[in-house]
Amino acid sequence: MHTPALRLGAGLATGITLAAGVLTATPAVAAVGDDDPTVGARVTTGPAAGLAINEVESNADDTDWVELVNTSSAAIDLSGWRFLDSDSSHTAYTLPQGSTIAAGGYLVVDQETTTRSGFDFGLGGADSVRLYDASGTLTLRYAWTTHAAVTYGSCPDGSGTLVDTTASTKGGSNDCSSPVRINEVESQGGIPGDWVELTNVGTTTVDLGGYVLRDSEDDHAWTVPAGTTVAPGGFTVLDEAQAGADAGTAPGAGTGTGTGAGFGFGLGKADGVRLSDARGVLVDEYSWTAHAATTYGRNPDGTGAFAETAEPTKGSTNRFAGVVTAEAWPGGPDEIVLDAEDTFTGDLSGLDWTSSASSQDGQLWAVQNGDGLLYHLVPDGRGGWAPTNTAGVDLRYADGTGTPDAEGVTVTADDPGAVYVSTERDNDVSKVSRPAVLRFATTDGSESVLRATDEWDLAADFPGLGANAGLEGVTWVPDAWLTSRGFVDQHTGVTYAPAAYPGHGEGLFLVGVEGTASVYAYALMDDGSSQRVATIATPFSLVAEVQFDPTLDALWVVCDEACSGRTALFDVQDGAFTLASLYEAPANADRALANEGFAISGRCVDGARATFYADDNDTNGASLRAGTYPCDAVEEPGDGDGDGGAPAPGDGDTPAPGDGETPAPGDGGGSTPAPGTGGSSPTPVPTTPGPTAPGPAAPAAPVAPDVSALVDGNRGSVSAPSNVRAGSSLTIDVGTRYAGERVAVWLFSEPRLLGTPVVVADGTVTVAVPADVPAGQHRIAVVASDGTVLGWTGITIDPATGSLAFTGAELGGGIAAALLLLAAGAGVLVARRRRTVGSPA
């Protein structure tokens, strides 16, 4: 997101810039960022000979990063070198003292996090990285035009062309191997016999012709026929009876095109399978000591460990008991453009749909983060949508200052005539985190400027949170809906009681935090105070949007291109929001779109509801797109009536701000169809039944394990970072075999419960470390619901400083002189004035 430029006098700008160490008397340093970032690669010579850009991660799977490799025989000191992307207005990141890369070694330049310093801008889909030595001379550069599906990596390390890799290998040798993996094995009772399913974890179709399949015996070998292929993310089955006959047909799946007899040998109860490429290089292998009751399959597909499946899934995604598996989007395959070119200029973020008295298709609220604008949109009568306030409403803080970094927006049923906006920071002070929810009084967005009437600043709950890692999405959930489902208040440990939070209105606000990849439920009181009521872990690396959907009785949690456009549905089970369904992006959608906003219509037309997506990058001049989601499924998450005892915004019963009366959803036979429906019948939603009666009382409180249960035998069975700051979030790797299970996370020596999260699909859980935990050595233990200690590990808690460490040069004589000149009022002519901006969200 782009912060408005600071306007300073020439002398002041020069003095501050010199003091910050951006310029020195050496002209070369002033040239940092003055080169053309799109012109080819540069190769180092002299003292840095052998240094190369080896791998680039720009998809923000965790953080963006660039890996350097030293192919020479001597160490290279990179202390004081500067790192920049293609945007020269960004502040170059200075590598700290001690940034030495050993001979043959790797060094990762990483993005800033809540617990680690680094560069504070993101790497985009069309971007570049540049590295300057301590004198300001450009030494390395690499540019790309679209995100890699995995990473861009040099094959071989340091000397090859950068290509899309098979697997991310941060800080290690690149993986340029075959992307084909053994994914599922049937060793008894298969049809027409035993079979081996292969998948492709790469980005291009692989020709399997000439690959060789073997079992545990070397003389059992079968060559895959020419023309047999497997597409990216697809499945191809090799059969004992006839190869390729049962290739997968899941979205994106490759079709096995091999012909002729199958591999011909059976797979025993104590056996194995091995796959080699046409050169004889072993690609993958798996062995077992007994037949599976079903089949053996990877969890998740292609990358996870093998386990017994819930059922054979020949040619399609593996399924496991208690694990929510990503499945095809059940709605239409397309996302169609809704806005005219250049309606928005980029940075469109949060969305919210509500009903409308003037349009049966409803209305949309949208916010733009870089310049803090609020838009009100309605159908344009030509199949698209357009803002009624073309210039947008200029949002300000209560005192009339600042540019709120508006990321999410919602309206509530208990406060008509107001719009609530979630923010990460004040863009005028872009280095400081200010995660907050702001209230603005408006019914139609017709004002040119709006000051916030209220602000709930949540910074105290997120010490150390990065300035660009705060509140991405916000939504509102009625109290009556929560209480009818037995929702448990994690603050009190008992069933949620709205009366415990006087002045909070008639519902809770749920906010999605980018930096923790979690969602948090808050009671926001009318005196400006707040109370966190629940923490909801998600299966994503970041949260871009949250939306309560009263039609489904569920909560949408949305990730952007960092997760290839996946979305998740949560419903309340056993008192807590629990993952119910996980969806891929629509089949024909561009998974690289930075869809930071998501909303869904409450109106059903021709068996579908419209879904809306806001692309922060304004790709090809379009920021707003629409798809469809079925509304004629037999069962949906929660399987409720959509009102939960109280109306909610967007459910077809609640007047939106400025409404008169609300038309019933699905009325008016001559109504305009939802975008992209085409009159076709959408695919039914996969069955995920939820509670149909008021939920139970609070579940039994977890019991802390005795410290004697933390023994060497279970030490290291879970893993976590060696250090974490008090007050920040902590992600623990429990293992994919526990995915879908609820666990308790305890901090020792005095046992302290940090949370009872559900293990997500990648085998991890995330909890918050309280700010009052004393610094020093501790132990983290993860305990199953039956009290079994799944594992523990040591961890060092760092003090909750509330700010990140600063790395920079000391003030030398030249800088001190510059400050003296500034104090004396002496002006220095500046050839080029820079502006410091935040990175796109």
Side-chain angles (χ1 to χ4, degrees):
M1 58 201 68
H2 303 286
T3 307
L6 299 176
R7 308 189 186 281
L8 300 173
L12 179 60
T14 302
I16 292 176
T17 306
L18 286 168
V22 175
L23 301 179
T24 73
T26 305
V29 176
V32 169
D34 282 351
D35 56 282
D36 185 343
T38 66
V39 179
R42 297 291 288 266
V43 180
T44 53
T45 57
L51 184 68
I53 294 172
N54 197 53
E55 192 173 6
V56 175
E57 165 61 82
S58 64
N59 283 323
D61 290 342
D62 182 13
T63 57
D64 292 339
W65 48 266
V66 173
E67 176 191 271
L68 307 175
V69 64
N70 178 4
T71 61
S72 74
S73 58
I76 300 174
D77 185 4
L78 301 179
S79 301
W81 286 43
R82 297 180 210 190
F83 175 83
L84 192 62
D85 65 350
S86 65
D87 189 343
S88 298
S89 68
H90 287 162
T91 300
Y93 170 62
T94 302
L95 274 65
Q97 291 298 313
S99 298
T100 300
I101 181 169
Y106 305 88
L107 184 145
V108 175
V109 183
D110 215 333
Q111 194 174 19
E112 176 185 86
T113 70
T114 58
T115 58
R116 180 189 62 239
S117 62
F119 58 89
D120 63 355
F121 44 82
L123 301 180
D127 210 338
S128 65
V129 291
R130 296 177 280 176
L131 190 68
Y132 303 83
D133 67 17
S135 71
T137 300
L138 177 67
T139 59
L140 293 176
R141 175 172 53 209
Y142 173 66
W144 60 94
T145 58
T146 186
H147 286 305
V150 184
T151 63
Y152 287 117
S154 175
C155 298
D157 284 1
S159 60
T161 302
L162 273 74
V163 299
D164 212 321
T165 60
T166 297
S168 175
T169 56
K170 186 177 184 180
S173 181
N174 290 338
D175 183 355
C176 302
S177 63
S178 169
V180 179
R181 298 289 182 267
I182 297 168
N183 195 57
E184 189 176 4
V185 176
E186 171 63 83
S187 62
Q188 70 168 352
I191 300 174
D194 295 341
W195 48 265
V196 178
E197 177 190 86
L198 307 179
T199 191
N200 179 355
V201 298
T203 59
T204 59
T205 297
V206 174
D207 185 348
L208 297 172
Y211 276 57
V212 177
L213 181 74
R214 292 181 173 87
D215 63 2
S216 60
E217 299 182 34
D218 289 339
D219 59 349
H220 287 174
W222 178 74
T223 301
V224 180
T228 307
T229 61
V230 57
F235 306 95
T236 292
V237 176
L238 308 181
D239 272 289
E240 177 186 1
Q242 182 174 351
D246 292 283
T249 56
T255 298
T257 56
T259 59
F263 52 80
F265 46 84
L267 302 177
K269 66 178 181 180
D271 207 341
V273 287
R274 296 171 289 168
L275 185 69
S276 302
D277 65 18
R279 300 167 299 168
V281 176
L282 182 67
V283 171
D284 198 14
E285 62 181 336
Y286 175 65
S287 60
W288 57 92
T289 58
H291 288 305
T294 52
T295 60
Y296 290 113
R298 287 189 184 274
N299 179 26
D301 290 290
T303 59
F306 277 91
E308 283 202 15
T309 62
E311 59 183 336
T313 53
K314 189 177 185 180
S316 61
T317 301
N318 293 338
R319 294 186 177 276
F320 299 87
V323 176
V324 177
T325 303
E327 51 198 308
W329 177 252
D334 301 311
E335 289 179 8
I336 63 171
V337 172
L338 293 180
D339 56 326
E341 189 170 355
D342 299 328
T343 299
F344 306 98
T345 58
D347 291 339
L348 196 68
S349 190
L351 294 174
D352 195 28
W353 181 95
T354 72
S355 57
S356 168
S358 59
S359 170
Q360 58 188 357
D361 289 322
Q363 58 189 336
L364 285 171
W365 290 96
V367 286
Q368 191 160 285
N369 53 51
D371 41 15
L373 296 178
L374 172 70
Y375 290 98
H376 175 256
L377 298 99
V378 296
D380 63 7
R382 300 184 299 275
W385 286 62
T388 60
N389 52 347
T390 306
V393 182
D394 189 5
L395 301 179
R396 297 288 168 182
Y397 289 98
D399 61 2
T401 66
T403 305
D405 179 44
E407 297 284 355
V409 61
T410 193
V411 297
T412 71
D414 64 346
D415 190 13
V419 172
Y420 292 80
V421 174
S422 61
T423 70
E424 291 187 322
R425 56 187 170 180
D426 177 356
N427 282 334
D428 291 354
V429 191
S430 62
K431 296 293 184 181
V432 179
S433 177
R434 189 172 176 176
V437 177
L438 304 175
R439 180 188 182 273
F440 296 94
T442 184
T443 59
D444 57 6
S446 59
E447 300 82 0
S448 59
V449 179
L450 274 176
R451 294 188 181 190
T453 62
D454 300 88
E455 177 179 2
W456 292 270
D457 190 339
L458 307 180
D461 277 8
F462 301 98
L465 185 68
N468 197 33
L471 309 190
E472 281 287 328
V474 62
T475 193
W476 183 85
V477 183
D479 282 341
W481 187 91
L482 294 166
T483 56
S484 71
R485 283 154 180 80
F487 178 66
V488 172
D489 183 338
Q490 295 176 5
H491 173 61
T492 63
V494 297
T495 302
Y496 171 58
Y501 304 105
H504 82 284
E506 298 174 10
L508 298 180
F509 287 84
L510 272 62
V511 295
V513 178
E514 178 179 359
T516 66
S518 296
V519 176
Y520 304 86
Y522 276 93
L524 303 182
M525 272 65 78
D526 54 13
D527 61 358
S529 63
S530 62
Q531 176 59 56
R532 184 185 294 180
V533 173
T535 299
I536 307 164
T538 78
F540 300 132
S541 58
L542 63 83
V543 173
E545 179 71 285
V546 290
Q547 281 287 329
F548 176 60
D549 188 340
T551 302
L552 295 184
D553 282 323
L555 175 74
W556 289 95
V557 179
V558 178
C559 189
D560 56 18
E561 77 275 19
C563 311
S564 300
R566 284 183 169 182
T567 54
L569 277 173
F570 287 72
D571 59 14
V572 175
Q573 299 177 23
D574 297 328
F577 278 98
T578 303
L579 180 63
S581 299
L582 183 62
Y583 295 130
E584 301 287 0
N588 297 336
D590 182 354
R591 286 160 171 75
L593 292 177
N595 284 337
E596 291 192 0
F598 173 84
I600 185 166
S601 170
R603 182 167 181 263
C604 184
V605 178
D606 294 336
R609 292 192 289 153
T611 54
F612 302 92
Y613 306 86
D615 174 14
D616 179 73
N617 283 343
D618 197 48
T619 305
N620 298 323
S623 292
L624 189 65
R625 292 173 173 82
T628 59
Y629 185 86
C631 51
D632 59 351
V634 175
E635 293 184 65
E636 309 221 27
D639 198 24
D641 59 9
D643 62 347
D651 66 359
D653 297 322
T654 304
D659 278 0
E661 61 182 19
T662 306
D667 64 358
S671 59
T672 303
T677 60
S680 61
S681 232
T683 306
V685 180
T687 300
T688 314
T692 56
V703 177
D706 191 271
V707 69
S708 62
L710 309 186
V711 297
D712 288 341
N714 53 29
R715 181 176 187 174
S717 299
V718 301
S719 61
S722 57
N723 291 73
V724 67
R725 177 180 295 163
S728 64
S729 61
L730 172 66
T731 298
I732 306 164
D733 190 346
V734 182
T736 55
R737 63 189 180 281
Y738 299 113
E741 296 185 19
R742 188 173 297 280
V743 297
V745 180
W746 293 89
L747 180 72
F748 284 83
S749 53
E750 293 298 326
R752 182 169 182 175
L753 182 65
L754 300 187
T756 56
V758 174
V759 182
V760 298
D762 67 356
T764 63
V765 295
T766 300
V767 294
V769 178
D772 61 353
V773 172
Q777 298 296 316
H778 296 266
R779 285 179 288 181
I780 291 286
V782 180
V783 181
S785 57
D786 64 359
T788 302
V789 176
L790 301 181
W792 67 277
T793 187
I795 194 168
T796 299
I797 305 294
D798 297 327
T801 61
S803 61
L804 296 170
F806 173 75
T807 302
E810 296 181 0
L811 293 180
I815 301 299
L819 291 174
L820 289 174
L821 287 172
L822 178 63
V828 180
L829 181 63
V830 180
R832 177 176 180 178
R833 179 167 52 197
R834 300 185 182 276
R835 65 188 179 97
T836 302
V837 301
S839 64

